[in-house]
Amino acid sequence: MIKTTAQRIYVALIFIFLYAPIATLIVLSFNASKTRSKWGGFTFKWYASLFEDEKILQALGNTLLIAFLSASIATVIGTIACIAMQNMKRKSRTIIMGITNIPMLNAEIVTGISLMLLFIILGFKFGFMTILLAHITFNIPYVILSVMPRMKQLNPSTYEAALDLGASHTQAFFKVVFPDILPGIVSGFIMAFTMSLDDFVITHFTKGAGIDTLSTKIYTEVRKGIKPEMYALSTIIFVTVLILLLLVNYAPKKKQDTAAVK
Amino acid sequence: MKNVLVNLEHISKSYDGQMVLDDLNLYIRENEFLTLLGPSGCGKTTTLRILGGFETPDKGRVVFEGADITNLPPNKRQLNTVFQKYALFTHMNIAENIAFGLKIKNKSKAYIDDKIKYALKLVNLDGFEKRMPNSLSGGQQQRIAIARAIVNEPKLLLLDEPLGALDLKLRQDMQYELIRLKNELGITFIYVTHDQEEALTMSDTIVVMNQGYIQQIGTPERIYNEPENAFVADFIGESNIIGATMIEDRLVEILGARFACVDEGFGRNKPVDVVIRPEDVELTKNPADGTIQGVVSHVIFKGVHYEMEVQANGFEWLVHSTGMFPVGTNVGIKVDPFNIQIMNKPESEDEEAVGVNE
């Protein structure tokens, strides 16, 4: 009895430490008073003024567009890479898998600076395209990480069975392999989308002047002095990412259940 | 004699320098139930995959109804495969699984529906159209895999150890089902297994393989009763394989005693191997009635018969008999001349693998 109470208190403490900062941020985003130290009543006005700010909306547009494009392109490239790896011998597959994992563990600042240097050497003009390229690059490993386990679960005979029944290679892939790995592809896409959405460091080094995503926009605004609109914006980003993460965790399971009932 | 449907001519295949098949020649007749039998790694599955189009031989040709199909992809071949682990499409229901091949060939909906009904009836699973593969037992999934293959009306059905994952009782039921299906459909079956009992039960012809070579081709009776070498004798059923000397035609010396036999043409005083099946060894109560004498050293009750081991002239004879002699009894051993099978003795390990191909 005492033991379980102690356990609960311990877990509660962990969650308080983890979520207290975010909770503070969310509370402050609804604070009518401009000073942080005083509660001036509940308000939506910071959210309202946020959506009137032309530059912030522009940054939001860039962020969503880059997240969508980079996640889509990375999903296609990552999935194709998984198909190739699946057909490799075990040894080369392990090596390639290890290499694709390194960028995920690598410090973001190193990835950001290396990409910046590469773009300079190649003579690219910094802007939307360089951000997009950078995001595709760091998103591919996440897609592979999510699709590969699905790929390994596949019974290799199902593809051959489709060929045997008269399907061409393309038909066999889209009718038999694709539906089986689709949950992995979807969660890979959402993961990539999330990563792109909240990236700051790599975007900061590859964006150049005149273009901003939400994270870099918040950074520049905060340097000028913290405006309560930024609390509202951060809250929106947090909630969006949270929803996407919940989707990743629960969407595939639900799908399987309905398939079984049908 | 029925027409030849498929001809494998001088097929060789190696992986990473490892020879899997070496100059294999085999023909399969129409409406034949042919079994490729051998231990794992003997090349039987590779042979099947070459027939299915999933592997290309390094050398040799596959001839199907007179046409060379060696390089034809699997989706263009008039044959279908039943895979070892069923390979059903788990995101489709049973009807969609069975309809897969027919939809690809753009058959009409009425035709497809008819075929699904017919195929499910054939494998005794009427009314399973809407079920999902994962809700079926292993035996049922196997039947669906067979149904999915035969609706395409293949001339040749390839089966890769299809009963390997089923339990004994179900396996025996499925063996009868397969024989019935083959007779009803009139298509040729090529069946791969390492289970000698399965092979003996179902086949018209058995091809015994080892290390990439065909050891013997024949009817189940012939393979069992007249194995051509020690490998075949040992692999098919239990047997006493004893080194012996052929004294002259129809007389062989086994463990120092002379036995009459029916084989001729091995020459005089030639070393040979003899095979005597355990059920062909007769024990006599009076030791003097036997050709050689021994002592019972071991008895196990097996249900249908007793399995006994008899020490005689330095060899442990395996005996199956319905009559039992207790351990320690002195007995005589007799063998009917007709039941002594003489085989050429291999002179090296290489030769042992090559067997009848030489």
Side-chain angles (χ1 to χ4, degrees):
Chain A
M1 195 59 196
I2 294 168
K3 205 179 151 203
T4 56
T5 322
Q7 276 175 350
R8 278 186 194 152
I9 291 171
Y10 183 65
V11 171
L13 273 175
I14 289 174
F15 278 111
I16 288 171
F17 275 115
L18 279 177
Y19 287 100
I22 293 166
T24 316
L25 178 86
I26 293 172
V27 170
L28 284 177
S29 76
F30 295 110
N31 185 6
S33 153
K34 222 174 172 173
T35 59
R36 265 162 280 166
S37 50
K38 205 172 82 196
W39 178 252
F42 185 85
T43 182
F44 276 118
K45 75 174 175 195
W46 308 124
Y47 287 88
S49 70
L50 179 71
F51 285 105
E52 278 158 18
D53 188 329
E54 201 67 28
K55 280 194 175 149
I56 284 180
L57 289 181
Q58 178 87 49
L60 178 71
N62 286 338
T63 307
L64 291 177
L65 190 61
I66 286 168
F68 179 76
L69 285 178
S70 70
S72 307
I73 297 168
T75 303
V76 174
I77 297 175
T79 306
I80 293 171
C82 285
I83 297 168
M85 279 196 274
Q86 183 66 8
N87 290 313
M88 281 175 181
K89 291 202 179 106
R90 182 179 290 268
K91 203 174 161 192
S92 27
R93 185 167 65 200
T94 317
I95 295 169
I96 300 272
M97 199 64 193
I99 293 172
T100 59
N101 280 340
I102 292 171
M104 277 190 293
L105 303 170
N106 197 9
E108 283 202 327
I109 190 143
V110 177
T111 311
I113 292 175
S114 347
L115 280 167
M116 181 184 73
L117 286 174
L118 181 70
F119 292 148
I120 290 171
I121 288 168
L122 293 176
F124 285 8
K125 207 166 150 274
F126 282 84
F128 185 84
M129 278 311 288
T130 46
I131 304 178
L132 184 62
L133 283 175
H135 282 222
I136 294 170
T137 309
F138 74 72
N139 271 338
I140 291 172
Y142 290 99
V143 175
I144 293 176
L145 191 72
S146 150
V147 175
M148 206 58 202
R150 278 268 160 189
M151 209 78 181
K152 278 190 191 153
Q153 277 174 22
L154 272 186
N155 176 352
S157 306
T158 53
Y159 182 74
E160 290 188 344
L163 292 182
D164 186 74
L165 293 167
S168 66
H169 286 273
T170 327
Q171 282 173 320
F173 176 76
F174 282 105
K175 282 176 194 277
V176 173
V177 177
F178 185 72
D180 266 2
I181 59 170
L182 188 61
I185 293 176
V186 170
S187 67
F189 174 83
I190 297 176
M191 211 142 89
F193 190 86
T194 316
M195 289 298 155
S196 168
L197 208 61
D198 73 2
D199 173 72
F200 167 72
V201 179
I202 295 169
T203 313
H204 183 71
F205 283 103
T206 53
K207 77 182 181 64
I211 184 165
D212 264 315
T213 65
L214 277 182
S215 56
T216 60
K217 185 75 195 158
I218 292 172
Y219 178 70
T220 27
E221 290 292 321
V222 168
R223 277 206 302 189
K224 287 184 224 155
I226 300 176
K227 285 200 289 182
E229 283 93 339
M230 290 304 113
Y231 305 148
L233 185 55
S234 303
T235 305
I236 292 173
I237 294 176
F238 170 73
V239 172
T240 314
V241 171
L242 188 70
I243 290 169
L244 287 177
L245 282 178
L246 289 176
L247 275 181
V248 173
N249 283 324
Y250 293 106
K253 273 183 215 151
K254 230 179 190 171
K255 202 166 167 153
Q256 269 176 358
D257 291 344
T258 49
V261 171
K262 215 174 30 172
Chain B
M1 188 62 57
K2 285 174 206 147
N3 296 328
V4 169
L5 182 69
V6 191
N7 230 326
L8 295 174
E9 297 172 356
H10 305 288
I11 300 282
S12 294
K13 176 83 184 168
S14 57
Y15 296 105
D16 302 328
Q18 181 107 33
M19 200 60 124
V20 181
L21 293 174
D22 193 358
D23 195 34
L24 178 121
N25 290 285
L26 182 66
Y27 63 87
I28 300 116
R29 284 187 293 262
E30 270 174 23
N31 201 16
E32 188 173 18
F33 196 126
L34 181 131
T35 301
L36 301 174
L37 175 68
S40 55
C42 72
K44 58 189 193 299
T45 299
T46 307
T47 308
L48 200 74
R49 290 178 62 79
I50 286 172
L51 277 164
F54 302 111
E55 305 280 354
T56 318
D58 301 337
K59 264 186 251 152
R61 299 200 308 157
V62 183
V63 179
F64 187 87
E65 292 194 308
D68 186 340
I69 60 160
T70 317
N71 294 309
L72 204 66
N75 48 349
K76 300 269 188 289
R77 297 192 180 197
Q78 278 189 317
L79 49 85
N80 285 107
T81 309
V82 175
F83 291 87
Q84 196 169 5
K85 288 179 196 141
Y86 324 136
L88 296 180
F89 308 134
T90 48
H91 58 284
M92 298 180 191
N93 67 27
I94 298 308
E96 288 166 337
N97 262 282
I98 296 175
F100 189 88
L102 300 173
K103 276 189 188 153
I104 297 241
K105 292 183 195 86
N106 287 320
K107 300 284 186 190
S108 73
K109 181 152 182 350
Y111 177 86
I112 293 176
D113 288 346
D114 263 12
K115 274 286 186 186
I116 294 172
K117 262 222 165 75
Y118 162 77
L120 284 176
K121 206 179 183 75
L122 203 63
V123 296
N124 289 328
L125 289 174
D126 314 65
F128 273 63
E129 284 89 344
K130 296 279 171 259
R131 298 277 292 271
M132 295 306 285
N134 287 340
S135 72
L136 267 52
S137 71
Q140 290 171 332
Q141 289 189 32
Q142 189 60 72
R143 284 160 196 254
I144 298 300
I146 292 168
R148 185 179 66 178
I150 58 180
V151 289
N152 301 289
E153 298 175 353
K155 294 218 167 117
L156 175 63
L157 192 64
L158 308 176
L159 301 107
D160 186 6
E161 305 213 15
L163 311 183
L166 306 180
D167 61 56
L168 182 68
K169 184 77 184 69
L170 204 54
R171 206 153 66 213
Q172 287 169 343
D173 290 347
M174 281 301 288
Q175 287 174 11
Y176 292 113
E177 289 274 305
L178 284 173
I179 298 169
R180 177 181 65 83
L181 277 175
K182 191 223 122 195
N183 291 334
E184 273 182 37
L185 297 166
I187 49 183
T188 308
F189 277 38
I190 299 185
Y191 192 95
V192 160
T193 185
H194 61 264
D195 185 321
Q196 42 106 1
E197 203 189 305
E198 236 171 68
L200 292 173
T201 311
M202 295 191 288
S203 318
D204 298 321
T205 307
I206 296 177
V207 179
V208 185
M209 295 179 71
N210 188 32
Q211 295 176 26
Y213 296 100
I214 293 176
Q215 300 290 320
Q216 188 173 356
I217 303 176
T219 61
E221 287 90 345
R222 206 182 158 84
I223 297 270
Y224 187 84
N225 292 326
E226 293 159 49
E228 280 175 21
N229 59 40
F231 175 82
V232 177
D234 196 36
F235 196 75
I236 313 279
E238 289 176 285
S239 49
N240 296 292
I241 302 173
I242 314 165
T245 310
M246 201 70 186
I247 300 299
E248 55 184 51
D249 283 352
R250 276 166 286 165
L251 186 65
V252 62
E253 189 179 281
I254 305 169
L255 306 167
R258 293 191 174 193
F259 285 78
C261 63
V262 293
D263 294 80
E264 297 177 352
F266 283 87
R268 287 176 157 268
N269 297 316
K270 181 99 197 302
V272 290
D273 276 330
V274 299
V275 176
I276 302 166
R277 296 291 181 189
E279 64 271 24
D280 292 335
V281 181
E282 269 177 76
L283 299 182
T284 58
K285 208 169 177 182
N286 181 0
D289 289 348
T291 318
I292 52 176
Q293 288 73 40
V295 184
V296 177
S297 62
H298 215 81
V299 181
I300 301 170
F301 178 58
K302 286 278 195 177
V304 186
H305 58 255
Y306 290 93
E307 184 179 296
M308 287 171 279
E309 278 165 21
V310 178
Q311 289 288 346
N313 294 17
F315 183 80
E316 199 165 73
W317 295 68
L318 189 67
V319 184
H320 290 171
S321 167
T322 47
M324 196 270 278
F325 293 91
V327 174
T329 318
N330 285 307
V331 291
I333 290 176
K334 260 188 7 185
V335 187
D336 188 298
F338 191 75
N339 288 330
I340 297 178
Q341 166 70 12
I342 312 281
M343 305 177 303
N344 276 314
K345 209 179 180 64
E347 262 140 39
S348 66
E349 251 185 52
D350 266 1
E351 202 181 314
E352 193 174 319
V354 174
V356 295
N357 267 44
E358 279 292 277

